[in-house]
Amino acid sequence: MTDTWQSAAAQRRLAKRHAAERRFRAIGLASIVISLLFLAVLLFTMAKNGIGGLSLDFLLGSDSTDASTAGVWGAVKGSLLTMLVTLALSFPMGVLAAIYLEEFAPKNRWTEWVEVSINNLAAVPSIIFGLLGLAVFINLAHLPRSSPLVGGMTLALMTMPVIVISGRNAIKAVPPSIRDAALAVGASPVQTVFHHVLPLALPGILTGTIIGMARALGETAPLLMIGMRAFVSTPPGGITDPSSVLPMQIFLWSDEIDPGFVQNTSAAIIVLLVFLLAMNGVAIYLRNKFETRW
Amino acid sequence: MTSNIVLAAILALGIVGWFAARSKARLLYTGRGSLHSMPGYHGWYVALWLIVPALIAWAAWQAIMPGLVETAILAQPIAAKLPTIDMDRAAVLSEAWNLARDPGAAAFNPLATEFAEPLRDLQFRYSMIGGVLALVLAFAGGAYAFTRVRSGFPARTRTERTVMFLLLLASLVAILTTIGIVVSLLYETGLFFSQISPIDFLTGLHWSPKDVADGADFGAVPLFWGTIYIGAIIAMIVAIPLGLMSAVYLTQYATPTARKVLKPILEILAGIPTVVYGYFAALTVAPMVRDFAEMMGKDNPSTESALAAGLVMGVMIIPFVSSMADDSMAAVPQAMRDGSLAMGATESETIKRVLLPAALPGIVAGVMLAVSRAIGETMIVVMAAGAAARLSADPFASMTTVTYQIVQLLTGDQEFNSPKTLSAFALGLVLFIITLVLNIVALRVVKRFREAYD
């Protein structure tokens, strides 16, 4: 019996199969390495081109036609105002919608439509939201063009489905025994949700919100549609002033012919990536610190 | 200005009402069971009655006020100076409105400056009327609610009913957004198709959007081809093998520690803004692709190429494909894998012959979602793919996509209702329908696939 297995032919076949195994494994490792290498090259290129441009003047200045005096503060302030509007609209609406769908919605056709529509909205290309913003907020409602108000409203519509989906998951993760206990001592259903379920689900909801906001912060295409590409040399004073946002500033500078703007663009990208990294860091911290495994 | 003051006043009244009602309810408390609702709920009940009707009235007044102001100014003797032609009159008035809002604004028409002053006065007077109206309504609502604060009054039930209404309203926003997208796209597309035939649009081979008088062509096939070539072919050639093999390695071979480190780093690729990818594509990848094309013997290749955009887009999609493949491989029962290994198959044989075929429906669905994401991607193609609408299979040629054209058509100076601008909405509608269909089919497939192994 052992002879069959130890024959030279069998050994050769086995060696071939093991070689194939090693090859397959190497291909897997290689594809990860290639992906990560691409990331490394991208980050390195931006760092190499941009690190020299990161000065205090650059961080505190506003857009200018001269590469050496242009700065990002105007765009950063525009981004902050836009994000403020987005957060103020999408967070309450997203959380309330998540509560309704998870805790109170009757199981009927209407609720199903709401769910389908939320899931689809999460996958609609961002430029379509820009078209919606242009058609409704600007051409129909005549809100001020290229303002953080309209930009924030457009991005809020885009961010809300993300918050609803993560909010529902967080609420679903709260065990039913919490609800039963609250109801058993006489709390009304609304009290149960707002006093007990929501506080326990909040870390999860916040994590989802931050991730949604990070995505909105990096978004350019929908804002192009509503005209946030104006040349703005002074930081916006309020949410109805014309303004630019950080990704839009990157896009505008990338079009400039003056080679001095290569440094500016890369430096602005570093600023944007630092913001995103910080937001994601906070999200991960929140998740690790407050997440409870029931 | 007035708006802020009125809103602040309403809000302040609401807070005062909340405290007043709560202290009144507290005085009613005489022992266990003497009050139906906690004092705080009485506070909320009164505050809601104060704020909600007043806010609705103020918003309604804001909506009708410009019309009232305009009627009033046309009734004044100064209106005789206005030009009689409707269009000129509208131009003067809109400039006067701008001046009334912002005295520093530039005015081209001296008549507008004359109108700005009375317009501002009228506007001030009417917003005062509206503000007083809103405040009176707030008082009336608050007083009515305040008289109802009694020991047996079910303030909690009433307040909770309002909360439930708010919850329902919030969930309706999602459906309203969907309806808004569909209606606005359909409406503008309808306007477009009333000028250009849909058959020409969907089957025409030539795209040069200009004004109709200059002989514009709205054949969108080259755009569809460019979109599919970049997003569904080149990007997928990059993303599918790399994403799939990354998922295989991470789930089947990597040690738990390596997996814990590598996976989040891979996910960073999905978190980088697309404008950064676009810049990287234009700055680094596109020149490399051009040099490569030159080496291959093409003379004078363009800097912008379908290949550069598609490559970078593919890398962006890798984490997406990888996590979808990860999920569907995790859904395959462990017993199938164990069975194959027990028969003496090596791990790679198990993966190739058992795991991947079993996970195939889920992976296909993931790829469909990835395609829908790639064809909707805008910034990379705007910055790296070029503007030339052409039907070509040459990856080094510059090529344009649906999203690129939408951006081109809608940025810069635009007049609404020209077919050039409207065609962007028709393109948007096509994009919306395709991504929607891809998503719905993919989610169906995933659902059925999950059920098969449950």
Side-chain angles (χ1 to χ4, degrees), chain A residues 171-244:
Chain A
I171 292 171
K172 213 183 282 176
V174 177
S177 58
I178 303 274
R179 294 181 189 88
D180 294 343
L183 291 171
V185 294
S188 73
V190 173
Q191 285 173 324
T192 307
V193 169
F194 279 89
H195 296 175
H196 301 281
V197 177
L198 194 58
L200 289 171
L202 210 54
I205 298 176
L206 284 180
T207 311
T209 307
I210 294 172
I211 289 170
M213 294 298 291
R215 195 190 290 178
L217 178 63
E219 202 56 72
T220 324
L223 301 179
L224 262 177
M225 298 288 93
I226 56 162
M228 285 185 98
R229 61 178 293 166
F231 174 81
V232 182
S233 55
T234 48
I239 56 169
T240 51
D241 287 354
S243 94
S244 179

Coordinates of all heavy atoms in Angstrom, one line a residue, chain A residues 171-244:
Chain A
I171 N -29.2 50.6 16.8 CA -30.4 50.4 17.6 C -30.8 48.9 17.7 O -31.2 48.4 18.7 CB -31.6 51.2 17.0 CG1 -31.3 52.7 17.2 CG2 -32.9 50.8 17.7 CD1 -32.2 53.6 16.4
K172 N -30.6 48.2 16.6 CA -30.9 46.8 16.5 C -30.0 46.0 17.5 O -30.4 45.0 18.1 CB -30.7 46.2 15.1 CG -31.6 45.1 14.7 CD -31.3 44.6 13.3 CE -31.8 45.5 12.3 NZ -31.4 45.1 10.9
A173 N -28.8 46.5 17.7 CA -27.8 45.8 18.6 C -28.2 45.9 20.1 O -27.6 45.2 20.9 CB -26.4 46.3 18.3
V174 N -29.0 46.9 20.4 CA -29.4 47.0 21.9 C -30.4 45.8 22.2 O -31.4 45.7 21.5 CB -30.1 48.3 22.1 CG1 -30.6 48.4 23.5 CG2 -29.2 49.5 21.8
P175 N -30.1 45.0 23.2 CA -30.9 43.8 23.4 C -32.3 44.1 23.9 O -32.5 45.2 24.5 CB -30.1 43.1 24.5 CG -29.3 44.1 25.2 CD -29.0 45.1 24.1
P176 N -33.3 43.3 23.5 CA -34.7 43.5 23.8 C -34.9 43.6 25.3 O -35.9 44.2 25.8 CB -35.4 42.4 23.2 CG -34.4 41.5 22.5 CD -33.1 42.1 22.6
S177 N -34.0 42.9 26.1 CA -34.3 42.9 27.6 C -34.3 44.3 28.2 O -35.0 44.6 29.1 CB -33.2 42.0 28.2 OG -31.9 42.6 28.0
I178 N -33.5 45.2 27.6 CA -33.5 46.6 28.0 C -34.9 47.2 27.8 O -35.4 47.8 28.8 CB -32.5 47.4 27.2 CG1 -31.1 46.8 27.3 CG2 -32.5 48.9 27.6 CD1 -30.3 47.3 28.5
R179 N -35.4 47.0 26.6 CA -36.8 47.6 26.4 C -37.8 46.9 27.3 O -38.6 47.6 27.9 CB -37.2 47.3 24.9 CG -36.3 48.0 23.9 CD -36.7 47.7 22.5 NE -35.7 48.3 21.6 CZ -34.6 47.6 21.2 NH1 -34.4 46.4 21.6 NH2 -33.8 48.2 20.4
D180 N -37.7 45.6 27.5 CA -38.7 44.9 28.3 C -38.7 45.4 29.7 O -39.7 45.7 30.3 CB -38.4 43.4 28.3 CG -38.6 42.8 26.9 OD1 -39.3 43.5 26.1 OD2 -38.1 41.7 26.7
A181 N -37.4 45.6 30.2 CA -37.3 46.1 31.6 C -37.9 47.5 31.7 O -38.7 47.7 32.7 CB -35.8 46.2 32.0
A182 N -37.7 48.4 30.8 CA -38.2 49.7 30.9 C -39.7 49.7 30.8 O -40.4 50.4 31.6 CB -37.6 50.6 29.8
L183 N -40.3 48.9 29.9 CA -41.7 48.9 29.7 C -42.3 48.2 31.0 O -43.4 48.6 31.4 CB -42.1 48.0 28.5 CG -41.7 48.7 27.1 CD1 -41.9 47.7 26.0 CD2 -42.6 49.9 26.9
A184 N -41.6 47.3 31.6 CA -42.2 46.6 32.7 C -42.4 47.5 33.9 O -43.3 47.3 34.7 CB -41.3 45.4 33.1
V185 N -41.5 48.5 34.1 CA -41.7 49.4 35.2 C -42.5 50.6 34.8 O -42.6 51.6 35.6 CB -40.3 49.9 35.8 CG1 -39.6 48.7 36.4 CG2 -39.5 50.6 34.7
G186 N -43.2 50.6 33.7 CA -44.2 51.6 33.4 C -43.8 52.7 32.5 O -44.6 53.6 32.3
A187 N -42.7 52.6 31.8 CA -42.3 53.6 30.9 C -43.1 53.5 29.6 O -43.5 52.4 29.2 CB -40.8 53.5 30.5
S188 N -43.5 54.6 29.0 CA -44.2 54.5 27.7 C -43.2 54.1 26.6 O -42.0 54.2 26.8 CB -44.8 55.9 27.4 OG -43.8 56.8 27.0
P189 N -43.7 53.7 25.5 CA -42.8 53.3 24.4 C -41.8 54.4 24.0 O -40.6 54.2 23.8 CB -43.7 52.9 23.2 CG -45.0 52.5 23.9 CD -45.1 53.3 25.1
V190 N -42.3 55.6 23.9 CA -41.4 56.7 23.5 C -40.4 57.0 24.6 O -39.2 57.2 24.3 CB -42.3 58.0 23.3 CG1 -41.4 59.2 23.1 CG2 -43.2 57.8 22.1
Q191 N -40.8 56.9 25.9 CA -39.8 57.0 27.0 C -38.8 55.9 26.9 O -37.6 56.2 27.1 CB -40.5 57.0 28.3 CG -41.3 58.3 28.6 CD -42.1 58.2 29.9 OE1 -42.7 57.1 30.2 NE2 -42.2 59.3 30.6
T192 N -39.2 54.7 26.7 CA -38.3 53.6 26.6 C -37.2 53.9 25.6 O -36.0 53.7 25.8 CB -39.0 52.3 26.2 OG1 -40.1 52.1 27.1 CG2 -38.1 51.1 26.2
V193 N -37.6 54.3 24.4 CA -36.7 54.6 23.3 C -35.7 55.7 23.7 O -34.5 55.6 23.6 CB -37.4 54.8 22.0 CG1 -36.4 55.3 20.9 CG2 -38.1 53.5 21.5
F194 N -36.3 56.9 24.1 CA -35.5 58.0 24.2 C -34.7 58.0 25.5 O -33.6 58.6 25.6 CB -36.3 59.3 24.2 CG -36.7 59.7 22.8 CD1 -37.8 59.2 22.1 CD2 -35.8 60.5 22.1 CE1 -38.1 59.6 20.8 CE2 -36.1 60.9 20.8 CZ -37.2 60.4 20.1
H195 N -35.1 57.3 26.6 CA -34.4 57.3 27.8 C -33.4 56.1 27.9 O -32.5 56.2 28.6 CB -35.3 57.3 29.0 CG -36.2 58.5 29.1 ND1 -37.2 58.6 30.1 CD2 -36.2 59.6 28.4 CE1 -37.8 59.8 29.9 NE2 -37.2 60.4 28.9
H196 N -33.7 55.0 27.2 CA -32.9 53.8 27.4 C -32.2 53.3 26.2 O -31.0 53.1 26.2 CB -33.7 52.7 28.1 CG -34.3 53.2 29.4 ND1 -33.6 53.2 30.5 CD2 -35.5 53.7 29.7 CE1 -34.4 53.6 31.5 NE2 -35.5 54.0 31.0
V197 N -33.0 53.1 25.1 CA -32.4 52.5 23.9 C -31.4 53.5 23.2 O -30.3 53.2 22.9 CB -33.5 52.1 22.9 CG1 -32.9 51.6 21.6 CG2 -34.4 51.1 23.6
L198 N -31.9 54.8 23.0 CA -31.1 55.7 22.3 C -29.7 56.0 23.0 O -28.7 56.0 22.3 CB -31.9 57.0 22.1 CG -31.3 58.0 21.1 CD1 -31.2 57.3 19.7 CD2 -32.2 59.2 21.0
P199 N -29.6 56.2 24.3 CA -28.3 56.5 24.9 C -27.4 55.3 24.7 O -26.2 55.5 24.4 CB -28.6 56.7 26.4 CG -30.0 57.1 26.4 CD -30.7 56.5 25.2
L200 N -27.9 54.1 24.7 CA -27.1 52.9 24.5 C -26.6 52.8 23.1 O -25.5 52.2 22.8 CB -27.8 51.6 25.0 CG -28.0 51.5 26.5 CD1 -28.9 50.4 26.8 CD2 -26.7 51.3 27.2
A201 N -27.5 53.2 22.1 CA -27.1 53.1 20.7 C -26.3 54.2 20.2 O -25.7 54.2 19.1 CB -28.4 53.0 19.9
L202 N -26.2 55.3 21.1 CA -25.5 56.5 20.6 C -24.1 56.4 20.1 O -23.8 56.9 19.0 CB -25.6 57.6 21.7 CG -25.7 59.0 21.1 CD1 -26.8 59.2 20.1 CD2 -25.8 60.0 22.2
P203 N -23.2 55.6 20.8 CA -21.9 55.5 20.2 C -21.8 55.0 18.8 O -21.1 55.5 18.0 CB -21.2 54.6 21.2 CG -22.0 54.6 22.5 CD -23.4 55.0 22.1
G204 N -22.7 53.9 18.6 CA -22.7 53.4 17.2 C -23.2 54.4 16.2 O -22.7 54.5 15.1
I205 N -24.3 55.1 16.6 CA -24.8 56.1 15.7 C -23.8 57.2 15.4 O -23.6 57.6 14.2 CB -26.1 56.8 16.3 CG1 -27.2 55.7 16.5 CG2 -26.6 57.8 15.4 CD1 -28.4 56.2 17.2
L206 N -23.0 57.6 16.4 CA -22.0 58.7 16.2 C -20.9 58.2 15.3 O -20.5 58.9 14.4 CB -21.5 59.1 17.6 CG -22.4 60.0 18.4 CD1 -21.7 60.4 19.7 CD2 -22.7 61.2 17.6
T207 N -20.5 56.9 15.5 CA -19.5 56.4 14.6 C -19.9 56.4 13.2 O -19.2 56.9 12.3 CB -19.2 54.9 15.0 OG1 -19.0 54.8 16.4 CG2 -18.0 54.4 14.3
G208 N -21.2 56.0 12.9 CA -21.7 56.0 11.5 C -21.8 57.5 11.0 O -21.5 57.7 9.9
T209 N -22.2 58.4 11.9 CA -22.3 59.8 11.5 C -21.0 60.3 11.1 O -20.8 61.0 10.1 CB -22.9 60.6 12.7 OG1 -24.1 60.0 13.1 CG2 -23.2 62.0 12.2
I210 N -19.9 60.1 11.9 CA -18.6 60.6 11.6 C -18.1 60.1 10.2 O -17.6 60.8 9.4 CB -17.6 60.3 12.7 CG1 -18.0 61.0 14.0 CG2 -16.2 60.7 12.3 CD1 -17.3 60.7 15.2
I211 N -18.4 58.8 10.0 CA -17.9 58.2 8.7 C -18.7 58.8 7.6 O -18.1 59.2 6.5 CB -18.1 56.7 8.8 CG1 -17.1 56.1 9.7 CG2 -18.0 56.0 7.4 CD1 -17.2 54.6 10.1
G212 N -20.0 59.0 7.8 CA -20.8 59.7 6.7 C -20.3 61.1 6.5 O -20.2 61.6 5.3
M213 N -19.9 61.8 7.6 CA -19.5 63.2 7.4 C -18.1 63.2 6.7 O -17.8 64.1 5.9 CB -19.4 63.9 8.8 CG -20.7 64.1 9.5 SD -21.8 65.1 8.6 CE -20.9 66.7 8.8
A214 N -17.3 62.2 7.0 CA -15.9 62.2 6.4 C -16.1 62.0 4.9 O -15.4 62.6 4.1 CB -15.1 61.1 7.0
R215 N -17.1 61.2 4.5 CA -17.3 61.0 3.1 C -17.8 62.3 2.5 O -17.4 62.7 1.4 CB -18.3 59.9 2.9 CG -18.3 59.4 1.5 CD -19.5 58.5 1.2 NE -19.4 57.2 1.8 CZ -20.3 56.3 1.8 NH1 -21.4 56.5 1.1 NH2 -20.2 55.2 2.4
A216 N -18.7 63.0 3.2 CA -19.3 64.3 2.6 C -18.2 65.3 2.5 O -18.1 66.1 1.6 CB -20.4 64.8 3.5
L217 N -17.2 65.3 3.5 CA -16.1 66.3 3.4 C -15.3 66.1 2.2 O -14.8 67.1 1.7 CB -15.3 66.1 4.7 CG -14.1 67.1 4.8 CD1 -14.5 68.5 4.9 CD2 -13.3 66.7 6.1
G218 N -15.1 64.9 1.7 CA -14.2 64.7 0.6 C -15.0 64.8 -0.8 O -14.4 64.6 -1.8
E219 N -16.3 65.0 -0.7 CA -17.1 65.0 -1.9 C -16.9 66.3 -2.8 O -16.9 67.4 -2.2 CB -18.5 64.8 -1.5 CG -19.4 64.2 -2.5 CD -18.9 62.9 -3.1 OE1 -19.0 61.9 -2.4 OE2 -18.5 62.9 -4.3
T220 N -16.8 66.1 -4.1 CA -16.6 67.2 -4.9 C -17.7 67.3 -6.0 O -18.2 68.4 -6.2 CB -15.2 67.1 -5.7 OG1 -14.3 66.6 -4.8 CG2 -14.8 68.5 -6.2
A221 N -18.0 66.2 -6.6 CA -18.9 66.2 -7.8 C -20.2 66.9 -7.6 O -20.6 67.8 -8.4 CB -19.1 64.8 -8.3
P222 N -21.0 66.6 -6.5 CA -22.3 67.3 -6.3 C -22.1 68.8 -6.1 O -23.0 69.6 -6.6 CB -22.9 66.7 -5.1 CG -21.8 65.9 -4.4 CD -20.8 65.6 -5.4
L223 N -21.0 69.2 -5.5 CA -20.8 70.6 -5.3 C -20.4 71.4 -6.6 O -20.7 72.6 -6.7 CB -19.7 70.9 -4.2 CG -20.1 70.2 -2.9 CD1 -19.0 70.4 -1.9 CD2 -21.4 70.7 -2.3
L224 N -19.8 70.6 -7.5 CA -19.5 71.2 -8.8 C -20.8 71.6 -9.5 O -21.0 72.6 -10.1 CB -18.8 70.2 -9.7 CG -17.3 70.3 -9.8 CD1 -16.9 69.1 -10.7 CD2 -16.9 71.6 -10.5
M225 N -21.9 70.7 -9.3 CA -23.2 71.0 -10.0 C -23.8 72.2 -9.5 O -24.5 72.9 -10.2 CB -24.1 69.8 -9.7 CG -23.6 68.5 -10.2 SD -23.8 68.4 -12.0 CE -22.2 68.9 -12.5
I226 N -23.7 72.5 -8.2 CA -24.4 73.7 -7.6 C -23.5 74.9 -7.6 O -23.8 75.9 -7.0 CB -24.9 73.4 -6.2 CG1 -23.8 73.0 -5.3 CG2 -26.0 72.4 -6.2 CD1 -24.2 73.1 -3.9
G227 N -22.4 74.8 -8.4 CA -21.6 76.0 -8.7 C -20.6 76.5 -7.6 O -20.3 77.6 -7.5
M228 N -20.2 75.5 -6.7 CA -19.2 75.9 -5.7 C -17.8 75.9 -6.2 O -16.9 75.4 -5.6 CB -19.3 75.0 -4.5 CG -20.6 75.4 -3.6 SD -20.6 74.4 -2.1 CE -19.9 75.6 -0.9
R229 N -17.6 76.4 -7.4 CA -16.3 76.4 -8.0 C -15.9 77.9 -8.3 O -14.9 78.1 -9.0 CB -16.2 75.6 -9.3 CG -17.1 76.1 -10.4 CD -17.0 75.2 -11.6 NE -15.7 75.4 -12.2 CZ -15.2 74.6 -13.1 NH1 -15.9 73.6 -13.5 NH2 -14.0 74.8 -13.6
A230 N -16.5 78.8 -7.6 CA -16.2 80.2 -7.9 C -14.8 80.5 -7.3 O -14.4 79.9 -6.3 CB -17.3 81.1 -7.3
F231 N -14.2 81.5 -7.8 CA -12.9 82.0 -7.3 C -13.3 82.9 -6.1 O -13.9 84.0 -6.3 CB -12.2 82.8 -8.3 CG -10.9 83.4 -7.8 CD1 -9.8 82.7 -7.6 CD2 -10.9 84.8 -7.5 CE1 -8.6 83.3 -7.1 CE2 -9.8 85.4 -7.0 CZ -8.6 84.6 -6.8
V232 N -13.0 82.5 -4.9 CA -13.3 83.2 -3.7 C -12.1 83.6 -2.9 O -11.4 82.8 -2.4 CB -14.3 82.4 -2.8 CG1 -14.7 83.2 -1.6 CG2 -15.5 82.0 -3.5
S233 N -11.8 84.9 -2.9 CA -10.5 85.3 -2.4 C -10.6 85.7 -0.9 O -9.6 86.0 -0.3 CB -9.9 86.5 -3.2 OG -10.8 87.5 -3.2
T234 N -11.9 85.8 -0.4 CA -12.0 86.1 1.1 C -12.8 85.0 1.7 O -13.7 84.4 1.0 CB -12.8 87.4 1.3 OG1 -13.9 87.4 0.5 CG2 -11.9 88.6 1.0
P235 N -12.5 84.6 2.9 CA -13.2 83.5 3.6 C -14.7 83.9 3.7 O -15.0 85.1 3.9 CB -12.6 83.4 4.9 CG -11.3 84.1 4.9 CD -11.4 85.1 3.8
P236 N -15.6 83.0 3.5 CA -17.0 83.3 3.6 C -17.4 83.7 5.0 O -16.9 83.2 6.0 CB -17.7 82.0 3.2 CG -16.7 80.9 3.5 CD -15.4 81.5 3.3
G237 N -18.3 84.7 5.1 CA -18.7 85.2 6.4 C -19.8 84.4 7.1 O -19.9 84.4 8.3
G238 N -20.6 83.8 6.2 CA -21.8 83.1 6.7 C -22.2 82.0 5.8 O -21.6 81.9 4.7
I239 N -23.3 81.3 6.1 CA -23.7 80.2 5.3 C -24.4 80.6 4.0 O -24.7 79.8 3.1 CB -24.6 79.2 6.0 CG1 -25.8 79.9 6.5 CG2 -23.8 78.5 7.1 CD1 -26.8 78.9 7.1
T240 N -24.6 81.9 3.8 CA -25.2 82.3 2.5 C -24.2 83.0 1.6 O -24.6 83.4 0.5 CB -26.4 83.2 2.7 OG1 -26.0 84.2 3.6 CG2 -27.6 82.4 3.3
D241 N -23.0 83.2 2.0 CA -22.0 83.8 1.2 C -21.4 82.8 0.2 O -21.4 81.6 0.5 CB -20.8 84.3 2.1 CG -21.2 85.5 2.8 OD1 -22.3 86.0 2.6 OD2 -20.4 86.0 3.7
P242 N -21.0 83.3 -1.0 CA -20.4 82.4 -1.9 C -19.1 81.8 -1.3 O -18.3 82.6 -0.6 CB -20.0 83.2 -3.1 CG -20.6 84.6 -2.9 CD -21.1 84.6 -1.5
S243 N -18.8 80.6 -1.5 CA -17.6 80.0 -0.9 C -17.1 78.8 -1.7 O -17.8 78.4 -2.6 CB -17.9 79.6 0.6 OG -18.2 78.3 0.7
S244 N -16.0 78.4 -1.3 CA -15.4 77.2 -1.9 C -15.3 76.2 -0.8 O -15.5 76.5 0.4 CB -14.0 77.5 -2.5 OG -13.5 76.4 -3.1

